[in-house]
Amino acid sequence: MKLKNPSNSASQTLTSSDTRLLVRETLRISANLASAPPPSPSAAAVAPQERPLLQDSSFGGLVDDQFLNSSLKLICCEEIDGRRWQYFADDNIGVRTVGSKHLKKNSIRAVSLQTPLSPADELIMFIRSYVVPEGFPDSVTPSYVPYMSWRALKHFFGGAMGVFTTQTLLSSLGVSRNRAAPGAVAINWILKDGAGRVGKMLFARQGKKFDYDLKQLRFAGDLLMELGAGVELATAAVPHLFLPLACAANVAKNVAAVTSTSTRTPIYKAFAKGENIGDVTAKGECVGNVADLLGTGLSIMISKRNPSLFTTFGLLSCGYVLSSYQEVKSVVLHTLNRARFTVAAESFLKTGRVPSLQEGNLMENIFIPPWKQHRPIVLGPRFKDAFQDPMSYLSLEPIFEKERYIVTYNPSKGNIYALFKDQAKSDDILKACFHAHVLHHIIRSSNHSQQSLRKQVHELSAVSPSLGDLQSHIAESYKMVSALYGPFKNKAKEQGWVMSESLLNPGRARLCELAR
């Protein structure tokens, strides 16, 4: 026991000494680090904590790019309205060469190169999308801002006066003898008009679609006008639902008014020769007002005989819709939007000739809903919509090395996509659209030859080509476009089509060059 006690004491003394030594050494190292010079800019640039962070929803937030480089391969860069994304694909082997064949299928991931916007900035961008044109302020003249400022102030005072005038008119009509009912009816009436104005404002966000799909939106607006009139008629059957039905009707009619107003000037411009657009507009509006007065007088005469309300409305609606259809079909536009370009390209591929202006406009499909994109050809899509397999993109990239666009087919969605590089000009957009129609023509012809196979398996959709077949189809389409695009443009110009001012709605996404 006497031998063990000194041993334990020595052990405890040694341990305490080692602890003090460790503390002194730690303090010395900390002092050296504090007195050391700051790292050089180059060293700081490569420090892991200073690396820029990338945002990716699939990774759950911000991701260090060193982590991405360890297992993912950068294949493409995309820009939309100044915001950039990079696309990566999983690499099993880790080989980082362009020709790598070890990329996983369906492994493309989009990574944002900028931090998320603050809620205030998001709100500002949302408001700008409703109240200013695309490309503002470069897309308008300097006088646009003061004009719209005074116009907004004018409508503010007009709306304020409308509250009092509506209440006065309803009271003058003898809606009720007591004092409460006229105010309540006026409030309902004002709510109805307010709902219509909100619908008008929301639909005005369509913006350039009024230029791209002028005829389609004009006809859809007229249909909405009749729908709104029909809902208003329904209030007679269910008067207790006056407010919701009247609000819905007014929304539809105000949306129709937006389409009519927005498409009026381009239509009159198509009729004007020279600098007489004002005269053409004035005379056209005069004709419309005269016809409106005559129709009002006729309806007053008919109403005196107490005809069936729904029968009369049905007959008048049929006449309105038929007249609207013929009105839109009679407009001859010289520009090529998506519908007219489809008519011209398909006619050229089938017959070798481009239809005239009158033929092309008559053949244009105006029943395309405004909210539906032109399928199966999509111009300017996001990269992630056009490609799911990274190898399909890497195999097509060399084919379009000399072009400012890439055309591909996505079998999973059944659409043909034309993606544009950031140097793409107006002629490149036209050529890409023509190329997409050529590829669609080739794939459709190939699928037509497999009609018997589709009948055997009871498959109504087109047979999806394999990756090898798709590459051969695209290579074949590239050769055809090289030989046919020039003659197509020349024949279109001979027929009077304006090729330099196309309205093809090519989207805003653009592929950017990678920094190697």
Side-chain angles (χ1 to χ4, degrees):
M1 294 297 295
K2 293 181 179 180
L3 293 176
K4 291 181 179 179
N5 288 336
S7 176
N8 291 340
S9 176
S11 175
Q12 292 174 0
T13 304
L14 181 61
T15 303
S16 177
S17 176
D18 290 342
T19 302
R20 289 195 297 271
L21 179 61
L22 179 60
V23 171
R24 287 199 301 271
E25 187 66 19
T26 302
L27 293 175
R28 184 183 66 80
I29 294 175
S30 301
N32 291 338
L33 290 176
S35 61
S40 62
S42 60
V46 297
Q49 61 270 21
E50 298 294 333
R51 289 182 177 271
L53 296 179
L54 308 177
Q55 184 185 10
D56 181 15
S57 58
S58 62
F59 291 127
L62 297 176
V63 184
D64 194 304
D65 64 347
Q66 184 179 13
F67 167 74
L68 294 175
N69 293 338
S70 63
S71 61
L72 300 177
K73 176 178 177 181
L74 177 63
I75 60 174
C76 182
C77 181
E78 182 182 59
E79 179 177 348
I80 304 178
D81 296 335
R83 299 171 63 87
R84 291 199 170 199
W85 284 264
Q86 286 184 344
Y87 289 89
F88 295 83
D90 289 337
D91 192 343
N92 289 332
I93 307 300
V95 180
R96 298 189 53 76
T97 60
V98 176
S100 173
K101 296 185 178 180
H102 302 288
L103 300 177
K104 293 182 180 179
K105 293 184 177 181
N106 301 321
S107 64
I108 294 178
R109 303 186 184 185
V111 180
S112 176
L113 297 184
Q114 54 275 326
T115 56
L117 295 176
S118 65
D121 292 334
E122 290 282 359
L123 179 61
I124 291 175
M125 290 186 63
F126 178 78
I127 295 175
R128 283 176 60 90
S129 68
Y130 278 95
V131 300
V132 298
E134 293 183 16
F136 178 85
D138 298 330
S139 61
V140 295
T141 60
S143 60
Y144 176 83
V145 174
Y147 169 78
M148 293 306 299
S149 300
W150 286 110
R151 180 177 175 83
L153 189 61
K154 180 190 71 174
H155 280 275
F156 170 78
F157 288 116
M161 288 187 297
V163 174
F164 301 99
T165 56
T166 301
Q167 185 174 357
T168 302
L169 287 173
L170 292 174
S171 178
S172 300
L173 289 174
V175 175
S176 176
R177 294 297 180 184
N178 60 60
R179 296 181 180 180
V185 173
I187 290 175
N188 286 344
W189 200 275
I190 292 165
L191 289 175
K192 171 184 74 72
D193 291 344
R197 292 189 180 98
V198 171
K200 180 189 295 186
M201 179 189 67
L202 295 177
F203 191 70
R205 196 189 180 197
Q206 298 297 322
K208 282 192 173 181
K209 288 186 178 181
F210 294 115
D211 298 315
Y212 296 140
D213 301 319
L214 184 152
K215 295 183 180 181
Q216 290 78 7
L217 283 171
R218 180 62 174 263
F219 184 67
D222 289 338
L223 293 179
L224 273 178
M225 181 67 74
E226 284 305 292
L227 177 63
V231 174
E232 285 181 339
L233 188 65
T235 59
V238 282
H240 59 284
L241 297 178
F242 169 80
L243 184 58
L245 290 179
C247 288
N250 222 32
V251 168
K253 296 179 76 171
N254 275 272
V255 168
V258 170
T259 61
S260 177
T261 304
S262 302
T263 57
R264 181 186 304 155
T265 300
I267 290 177
Y268 284 142
K269 184 179 178 180
F271 297 138
K273 288 186 176 181
E275 300 298 329
N276 62 336
I277 180 65
D279 187 32
V280 173
T281 303
K283 299 306 189 296
E285 292 303 294
C286 181
V287 171
N289 289 330
V290 171
D292 184 79
L293 290 173
L294 293 176
T296 302
L298 177 62
S299 63
I300 293 175
M301 294 174 60
I302 295 176
S303 63
K304 291 181 178 181
R305 299 184 179 182
N306 297 322
S308 172
L309 185 61
F310 292 98
T311 302
T312 305
F313 176 79
L315 293 175
L316 293 177
S317 294
C318 291
Y320 182 88
V321 173
L322 180 61
S323 300
S324 173
Y325 176 79
Q326 295 297 333
E327 174 198 25
V328 172
K329 293 293 287 186
S330 64
V331 178
V332 177
L333 300 175
H334 294 222
T335 53
L336 287 172
N337 66 346
R338 293 292 302 279
R340 293 188 290 276
F341 191 95
T342 299
V343 171
E346 291 184 354
S347 176
F348 178 79
L349 293 175
K350 292 178 181 179
T351 64
R353 62 179 295 269
V354 175
S356 63
L357 294 176
Q358 289 75 14
E359 292 173 343
N361 281 270
L362 285 175
M363 296 168 64
E364 178 183 2
N365 183 11
I366 66 170
F367 291 101
I368 301 175
W371 57 87
K372 181 180 179 181
Q373 296 184 3
H374 293 268
R375 305 283 182 172
I377 294 175
V378 182
L379 299 183
R382 293 293 303 274
F383 181 87
K384 60 183 180 181
D385 295 330
F387 294 99
Q388 273 76 44
D389 183 6
M391 288 307 304
S392 62
Y393 169 73
L394 295 177
S395 62
L396 295 181
E397 192 178 18
I399 299 178
F400 296 93
E401 182 178 4
K402 297 181 180 180
E403 303 293 342
R404 296 175 179 173
Y405 65 88
I406 296 177
V407 174
T408 186
Y409 173 72
N410 191 332
S412 63
K413 297 184 178 180
N415 294 325
I416 295 175
Y417 296 92
L419 299 90
F420 302 108
K421 301 179 182 178
D422 53 0
Q423 313 94 342
K425 305 299 181 183
S426 177
D427 187 68
D428 300 306
I429 295 173
L430 281 169
K431 187 175 182 180
C433 188
F434 181 74
H435 195 146
H437 281 280
V438 172
L439 180 59
H440 179 249
H441 179 75
I442 292 175
I443 293 177
R444 187 169 53 185
S445 300
S446 176
N447 292 339
H448 194 66
S449 63
Q450 303 178 25
Q451 188 72 24
S452 58
L453 176 62
R454 292 204 301 270
K455 290 182 178 179
Q456 292 176 3
V457 298
H458 302 285
E459 179 62 41
L460 299 179
S461 60
V463 177
S464 300
S466 63
L467 180 59
D469 294 336
L470 178 59
Q471 292 181 5
S472 64
H473 290 335
I474 294 179
E476 181 184 356
S477 67
Y478 188 85
K479 294 179 181 178
M480 290 182 61
V481 170
S482 299
L484 297 179
Y485 179 63
F488 170 73
K489 280 184 61 177
N490 294 332
K491 291 186 178 182
K493 290 179 179 179
E494 291 175 359
Q495 294 291 351
W497 294 105
V498 179
M499 303 295 289
S500 59
E501 300 179 6
S502 58
L503 300 172
L504 300 181
N505 192 8
R508 302 190 303 272
R510 297 294 182 267
L511 302 180
C512 308
E513 293 185 0
L514 295 177
R516 300 294 184 181

